[in-house]
Amino acid sequence: MASKAPNTPPANDYGERSIRVLKGLEPVKQRPGMYTRTDNPLHIIQEVLDNAADEALAGYGKKIRVTLHLDGSVSVEDDGRGIPFGLHPEEKAPVVELVFTRLHAGGKFDKGKGGAYSFSGGLHGVGVSVTNALSTRMEVSTHREGQVAHLVFAGGDVIEPLTVRPLAGGERKQGTTVRAWPDAKYFESSHLPMNELTHLLRSKAVLMPGVAVTLFNEKTRESTTWQYKGGLRDYLQQTLPVDPVIPLFEGAGYADAGHDSFAEGEGAAWAVAFTEEGASVRESYVNLIPTSAGGTHDSGLRDGLFQAVKGFIELHGLLPKGVKLMPEDVFARASYVLSAKVLDPQFQGQIKERLNSRDAVRLVSSFVRPALELWLHQHVDYGKKLAELAIKAAQTRQRAGQKVEKKKGSGVAVLPGKLTDCESRDIAYNEVFLVEGDSAGGSAKMGRDKETQAILPLRGKVLNTWEVERDRLFANTEVHDISVAIGVDPHGPQDAPDLSGLRYGKICILSDADVDGSHIQVLLLTLFFRHFPRLIEAGHIYVARPPLFRVDIPARGKKPAAKVYALDEAELSAILDKAVKDGVAREKCQISRFKGLGEMNAEQLWETTLNPDTRRLLPVQLGVAGYEATAALMTRLMGKGEAGSRRELMELHGDAVDVDI
């Protein structure tokens, strides 16, 4: 076996030579994802567009033209001041060359010190140099001071050095044209997403009222120009999918020279719309850069809106007891376009999708809040509509926060402890009796058919669930137990609930035959009609009818003594009449009245109410009135605020009711 030569460096040797210094634009080519979006070349074109927009923002340009060429290149042309092309005093190279080849060279660093751009989206100075690095070719022409300078790059390197010549007669006086051929190898797709591009160009026009932004496609020969005289308001109105509840709230505020917290010119312009439904439109910009992920300026708008609306609600005493207003309640239905101007914006990530500048919250809020407060006090009716929208959102949020989940076991439904289940699992035969009270429940357990009949005793009166939100139902033990026992979750009339878990073919309400029993019956029917309507529709709900009277008839002739049960007074009369016909005097018949199911022994309960051969079971179905009419009647009968309607019903039909005292 050959021995290893001494002093041979190991394969993973790490020394001075291992350290590589990336120069010029090499870092961008090595890790393009650190500097731009690599799904398509839109962002590197946006860097060029942002420079043109910065010129317009600074007040030096009125036109921006973007051309999609047949060869896949894109050119951006503006009528700004043109990039300087003289030699840089320190770098001894043409300034225009430095802008496109050095990662941290630009005119946007000297903010607030008489720099060329007081407000701009450019911050890091890596913008167009990234575009240059990731393009196979880039041509730059700059018109300035009666001259035109031209130079060409390939992969970020100069291949045609700067040439300067005097402007010809018909040429424009000033401006810059940049034409780039994005290098497909750096992008997942070399195609520009047209929807995003048009949205971007349109938004630039929105944010710079009066500036014309044009897109020309050489392939289709189509040309589109956007120019918004009305700015943010026009744009938001055209973009909103539905009509707002109140008129658009728009405004703008900028710091003056003497402001103690912010630099001169810092501030924001905004347009806000409130809608009851539909998708929200939410767009924010900082110095014309679209911040798709929002940021601190959005938070400032939210804070300003919230503080103003909250103050208005408190002033007019509109907040219901127990409701706590949160910023999201006001913001939930807001659509907006926000354009902030920040002197030295700090962004998250090189593609500037989110603003991180902490002061921007206070900056935007300090202008939005007083403007909205003034507007609300000038338009009190609109203010009240907005307050109503916010309070409604708060109530919905609070209800959702109070949602009570069904208790879960270890993957298996944990049946209520008080449920006495049946042995069969065939829902064609299985029945569950919801029995009023424990004593009746005890008799029912003893008298039932264990094979097919289950008993669930209910303690006291069930909750009136007519106005209880579905998410709050499980806070009530009885309702929770009923839902778990039957194996179906609460649902609405339009829902398609999962009935595959249904454990019983018949769900029978079994209560006393008196007034209290009838009340419990109504409460349970309310629960099923409101929260389990599909069970009624599918014919699974029944009402068991226990007797109110027992008649002991003595022996007569060959007929032995008999015990006969009557559901009500009418049946009792019929039984007594028949006994008289059979020759038994009425006074010899012994009549007992059941005060409740608890008075019946197990045998009697089986015989009268549980035995399928002798019981009376009433199927519950929707009547001819249909769902809507029934729901309206139930609201009158069971609604909390319907006492007046109930009184009216009593006055109309009170004579037809037999009062059981």
Side-chain angles (χ1 to χ4, degrees), residues 282-285 291 293-303 331 336 338 355 360-361 364:
R282 293 185 172 183
E283 294 182 21
S284 60
Y285 304 84
T291 40
T296 47
H297 53 327
D298 288 53
S299 302
L301 177 70
R302 179 159 98 162
D303 183 64
F331 210 54
Y336 62 85
L338 170 68
L355 181 71
V361 178
V364 178

Side-chain angles (χ1 to χ4, degrees), residues 15 17 35 105 130 201 231 255 286-287 360 493 509 634:
R17 288 180 179 277
Y35 296 87
V130 170
L201 296 177
V286 174
N287 304 348
I509 298 167
M634 290 290 277

Side-chain angles (χ1 to χ4, degrees), residues 136-150:
T136 53
R137 180 180 174 89
M138 181 185 265
E139 297 177 0
V140 181
S141 297
T142 170
H143 300 70
R144 184 182 169 93
E145 296 164 356
Q147 295 177 298
V148 55
H150 185 78

Side-chain angles (χ1 to χ4, degrees), residues 412-431:
V412 182
V414 180
L415 294 171
K418 56 191 178 180
L419 172 73
T420 304
D421 209 356
C422 55
E423 291 165 8
S424 163
R425 291 287 165 265
D426 185 351
I427 71 159
Y429 301 104
N430 286 5
E431 304 170 339

